[in-house]
Amino acid sequence: MRGVQLPFSNTQKLRYERALAQLESLSSKVNTNATVIVADTIPVDEDGALKGHGTLDMGKKVVATVCGVVERVNKLVYVRSLRARYKPEIGDIIVGRVIEVAPKRWRLEINFSQDAVLMLSSMNLPDGIQRRRTAIDELNMRTIFVENDVICAEVRGFQHDGSLHLQARSQKYGKLERGRLLTIPPYLVKRRKQHFHHLDQYGVDLILGCNGFIWIGEHVEVKDVMVEDQVNKSDPQNTHSGSLLGSSEELTSTPPETRQYICRIANAITVFAALDFMVTLEGVIEMVNLSLSLNLGVDEMLKAEFHVLVAEKEAERRSTLTKRR
């Protein structure tokens, strides 16, 4: 948070430092004896406690080997490092960009030390039929994804060389279009049960990738291919009309109002990342509504005044949560 480089006026600088001091005091109250740096002693009261990642047993005391927050799960004690690179886990929702179309697979950049692999057999085909992949499917891979396409997928497992194996066997996964891709530090995105968000009031879809890739795009209805196939089989004329409808939808562009909302949401997330605040759906919506209530332009959200306002709002929110406890 101290690394923000903006042309603050004297008044803005004082307000910003006051909000920063309040946030630090609140953080110290909430995380008493929880934040450690390298060589700090971690108090362990239980007998037979297990020492996990980021700890070192030195005789009668346990010492932290990384900077972070002490976490305890039953008898396991470990340090969750801050500002760390993305550490994938099975089931993570990630957003990536295709960098290579290889035989029977796509290789993706996912903000990890190694590239990820999406196998042709690990995704739904465009026709939606569950069947074995043939040589024709392999030849038609470029009709599905090509280089620089943005894709949403799920972490399925790890390969022998340490790279990730992805899967996209659901209609909510696949190619992402008509939107904007942001890259923020992965530690600012907390793992939650829901990473897909439809902001109905803005007509925008928001995907918070666990790997720090954030997608903001025009809302797309997830279609049930099985139901559509049954309708097309019952009425053969629907097949031709459906294809025409799909082509007309591809030709339409994103409305200007929706583009404005996409840019506002992107700028709100950019400000959160610059201030080192966790990116949450509630916080993003609050900051977008704040910019609208103040009649701020999209470009004004990246200026010093809005950064100060966001810091003050975050300090106020955390203070209210602390009082409730």
Side-chain angles (χ1 to χ4, degrees):
M1 220 183 315
R2 296 184 183 275
V4 178
Q5 300 293 333
L6 289 171
F8 289 115
S9 65
N10 292 334
T11 304
Q12 290 172 342
K13 188 175 182 179
L14 290 174
R15 290 166 53 200
Y16 177 74
E17 291 178 349
R18 188 183 303 115
L20 184 64
Q22 185 178 358
L23 287 169
E24 290 181 348
S25 64
L26 292 172
S27 178
S28 62
K29 291 179 182 178
V30 175
N31 295 323
T32 304
N33 298 327
T35 304
V36 293
I37 61 175
V38 178
D40 275 359
T41 301
I42 302 175
V44 179
D45 299 330
E46 301 178 3
D47 295 333
L50 303 175
K51 289 78 176 178
H53 172 75
T55 64
L56 179 63
D57 192 356
M58 301 196 56
K60 297 182 179 181
K61 61 181 181 179
V62 179
V63 177
T65 58
V66 296
C67 300
V69 179
V70 178
E71 301 284 354
R72 303 174 189 271
V73 180
N74 296 329
K75 290 188 176 182
L76 175 64
V77 179
Y78 67 97
V79 179
R80 176 170 54 84
S81 57
L82 300 178
R83 297 180 180 272
R85 297 194 65 173
Y86 171 57
K87 297 178 180 178
E89 295 182 6
I90 296 177
D92 280 356
I93 305 299
I94 61 100
V95 177
R97 186 183 293 276
V98 178
I99 59 176
E100 182 186 0
V101 181
K104 297 183 180 180
R105 71 193 66 192
W106 293 271
R107 193 169 296 277
L108 281 71
E109 161 61 28
I110 60 166
N111 200 23
F112 183 48
S113 57
Q114 297 191 48
D115 299 330
V117 173
L118 175 62
M119 301 295 296
L120 177 61
S121 58
S122 298
M123 63 162 297
N124 286 338
L125 295 177
D127 55 16
I129 301 175
Q130 299 295 330
R131 57 177 172 81
R132 294 178 64 89
R133 275 53 171 174
T134 63
I136 297 177
D137 294 326
E138 186 175 350
L139 291 174
N140 293 331
M141 285 178 58
R142 285 188 173 275
T143 63
I144 305 175
F145 303 134
V146 296
E147 289 84 355
N148 293 323
D149 279 352
V150 180
I151 297 175
C152 178
E154 180 181 332
V155 177
R156 181 179 180 181
F158 299 88
Q159 295 188 333
H160 62 278
D161 60 351
S163 60
L164 294 185
H165 190 187
L166 308 178
Q167 67 92 10
R169 289 187 173 276
S170 173
Q171 295 299 319
K172 63 183 179 180
Y173 302 133
K175 186 176 179 180
L176 301 174
E177 297 178 296
R178 297 184 183 180
R180 181 176 175 183
L181 179 66
L182 289 181
T183 303
I184 66 173
Y187 62 86
L188 296 180
V189 181
K190 188 176 181 180
R191 287 183 173 89
R192 300 179 181 273
K193 293 183 179 179
Q194 185 62 259
H195 285 263
F196 295 89
H197 304 287
H198 169 40
L199 308 184
D200 189 31
Q201 64 271 40
Y202 309 131
V204 172
D205 286 335
L206 174 64
I207 303 177
L208 301 176
C210 295
N211 59 330
F213 283 179
I214 309 294
W215 176 259
I216 312 108
E218 182 181 359
H219 175 60
V220 178
E221 293 289 345
V222 178
K223 299 180 181 179
D224 193 337
V225 179
M226 300 296 291
V227 174
E228 290 183 350
D229 287 344
Q230 293 177 1
V231 173
N232 293 335
K233 289 179 181 178
S234 61
D235 187 359
Q237 296 180 354
N238 286 340
T239 304
H240 183 65
S241 62
S243 61
L244 291 177
L245 180 60
S247 61
S248 64
E249 288 180 350
E250 292 178 357
L251 294 175
T252 58
S253 60
T254 304
E257 184 179 4
T258 304
R259 295 184 185 183
Q260 291 279 339
Y261 285 132
I262 291 174
C263 292
R264 284 188 182 276
I265 295 171
N267 287 351
I269 295 175
T270 301
V271 173
F272 273 113
L275 296 173
D276 267 352
F277 293 159
M278 296 294 293
V279 177
T280 62
L281 175 65
E282 298 77 14
V284 171
I285 293 177
E286 183 180 357
M287 292 306 108
V288 171
N289 291 336
L290 176 63
S291 67
L292 291 172
S293 63
L294 297 175
N295 292 323
L296 295 178
V298 175
D299 58 323
E300 293 178 313
M301 294 179 65
L302 298 178
K303 295 183 178 179
E305 178 62 23
F306 192 72
H307 281 73
V308 175
L309 289 173
V310 172
E312 291 176 341
K313 287 289 184 181
E314 183 67 13
E316 181 181 349
R317 185 187 68 83
R318 293 188 188 181
S319 178
T320 303
L321 291 176
T322 305
K323 291 178 181 178
R324 289 178 181 177
R325 293 177 183 175

